[in-house]
């Protein structure tokens, strides 16, 4: 397993799974050039310590971005479904942050505890940002069960509460996600109907939803967690809040400028 100092980090998928034949049109070809950065650096954990921030540079005023078409295509991965149980924020927010993450990933937990609440307060609550979660299972069956459980909690409008409880502790790598622990997390998250929770968790719909998220990640070359897209531009790892703030604000300005040019 790759490491960042003494810290556990995400594990890439085996090559056989990584190369599965989903193709999001021609997007796979162009995304590979840009999103390859994610796999190369996100496996280093993207901690706010000695790991570098990995983003794609934004050209200065008046200069053309050679990756603009790629970013535009990647931005189309935002679902903007107002009924999406695994998303928060306005469906028509100018900026969408897509997070590919695993509930057992320690750096996903770091982002959830240290950075995400600040982004929610500063941008989601003000209507600027929408966050869309994608389950990207990289730590095996234990992680898969947590992904199914999170989806099941979402069917009772408790996904984000489940997310908060699951990431509230720092040792999920060691604790894992037994049935008993998942039940305890769901109950603490406010899931009312535990019989329905168990049925939903074991359903084909849960497996299909998680598979859809994973195939999307495979298709763009995001094989490590956490990986992010901010209006199509990649950020790898649990970077400090200011890295995300800069990307969100730049994306918001670009969206505002594009809207103005359409009038």
């Amino acid at each position: 397993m790759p490491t960042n100092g003494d810290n556990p980090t995400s594990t890439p998928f085996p090559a056989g799974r990584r190369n599965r034949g989903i193709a999001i049109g021609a997007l796979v070809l162009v995304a590979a050039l840009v999103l390859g950065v994610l796999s190369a650096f996100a496996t280093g954990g993207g901690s706010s310590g000695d790991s570098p921030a990995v983003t794609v540079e934004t050209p200065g005023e008046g200069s053309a971005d050679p990756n603009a078409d790629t970013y535009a295509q990647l931005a189309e991965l935002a679902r903007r479904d107002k009924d999406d149980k695994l998303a928060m924020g306005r469906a028509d927010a100018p900026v969408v942050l897509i997070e590919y993450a695993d509930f057992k990933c320690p750096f996903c937990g770091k982002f959830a505890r240290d950075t995400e609440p600040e982004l929610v307060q500063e941008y989601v609550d003000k209507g600027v940002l929408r966050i869309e979660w994608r389950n990207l299972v990289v730590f095996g069956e234990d992680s898969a069960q947590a992904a199914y459980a999170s989806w099941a909690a979402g069917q009772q409008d408790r996904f984000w509460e489940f997310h908060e409880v699951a990431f509230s502790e720092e040792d999920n790598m060691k604790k894992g996600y037994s049935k008993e622990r998942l039940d305890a997390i769901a109950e603490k998250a406010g899931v009312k109907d535990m019989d329905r929770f168990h049925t939903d968790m074991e359903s084909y719909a849960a497996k299909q939803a998680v598979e859809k998220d994973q195939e999307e990640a495979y298709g763009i070359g995001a094989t490590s967690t956490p990986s992010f897209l901010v209006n199509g531009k990649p950020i790898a790892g649990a970077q400090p809040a200011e890295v995300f703030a800069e990307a969100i604000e730049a994306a918001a300005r670009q969206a505002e400028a594009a809207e103005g040019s359409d009038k």
Side-chain angles (χ1 to χ4, degrees):
M1 182 181 298
T3 58
N4 179 21
D6 295 327
N7 294 318
T9 66
S10 57
T11 303
F13 282 99
R17 294 191 68 188
R18 193 165 60 241
N19 294 328
R20 293 171 70 174
I22 180 106
I24 309 175
L27 176 60
V28 175
L29 298 177
V30 292
L33 300 176
V34 178
L35 269 292
V37 173
L38 292 175
S39 292
F41 288 92
T43 50
S47 69
S48 57
D50 55 5
S51 294
V54 182
T55 61
V56 178
E57 294 183 3
T58 302
E61 293 292 333
S63 59
D65 187 339
N67 296 309
D69 289 344
T70 297
Y71 300 150
Q73 292 180 73
L74 292 172
E76 292 178 4
L77 294 173
R79 295 169 187 171
R80 293 186 177 276
D81 179 357
K82 63 181 179 60
D83 296 322
D84 187 346
K85 304 291 189 179
L86 277 61
M88 71 164 80
R90 288 169 35 194
D92 62 348
V95 184
V96 178
L97 182 152
I98 301 175
E99 176 183 1
Y100 299 93
D102 183 317
F103 279 100
K104 204 171 179 182
C105 163
F107 289 97
C108 299
K110 178 178 177 60
F111 174 78
R113 290 187 299 273
D114 298 350
T115 304
E116 196 163 40
E118 187 174 334
L119 300 183
V120 170
Q121 181 178 6
E122 186 63 29
Y123 300 107
V124 176
D125 290 349
K126 295 178 181 179
V128 175
L129 178 68
R130 176 176 175 84
I131 298 176
E132 296 186 355
W133 171 276
R134 306 284 193 267
N135 278 300
L136 175 53
V137 176
V138 297
F139 289 108
E141 185 59 27
D142 209 30
S143 294
Q145 292 304 311
Y148 302 145
S150 73
W151 185 88
Q155 303 317 294
Q156 298 185 50
D157 297 316
R158 287 294 183 269
F159 170 79
W160 290 105
E161 290 81 359
F162 181 98
H163 169 281
E164 182 178 0
V165 175
F167 281 135
S168 63
E169 300 172 343
E170 297 187 16
D171 58 351
N172 286 334
M173 284 289 291
K174 294 179 181 178
K175 281 192 171 183
Y177 289 104
S178 65
K179 181 182 183 300
E180 293 73 21
R181 184 163 186 244
L182 290 171
D183 283 354
I185 291 171
E187 289 173 352
K188 190 172 181 179
V191 173
K192 299 298 183 184
D193 188 339
M194 291 302 294
D195 288 338
R196 179 187 173 189
F197 172 75
H198 294 144
T199 299
D200 285 339
M201 181 178 168
E202 296 169 5
S203 68
Y204 174 72
K207 293 176 174 59
Q208 189 176 43
V210 172
E211 181 73 9
K212 179 181 179 181
D213 288 352
Q214 292 192 168
E215 294 289 11
E216 179 178 299
Y218 301 155
I220 62 173
T223 58
S224 298
T225 57
S227 294
F228 306 87
L229 294 175
V230 177
N231 277 13
K233 294 188 178 182
I235 296 177
Q239 302 297 337
E242 49 268 29
V243 173
F244 289 92
E246 181 180 350
I248 292 165
E249 290 174 11
R253 289 193 298 270
Q254 291 173 354
E256 183 179 5
E259 184 179 354
S261 66
D262 289 339
K263 293 181 179 179

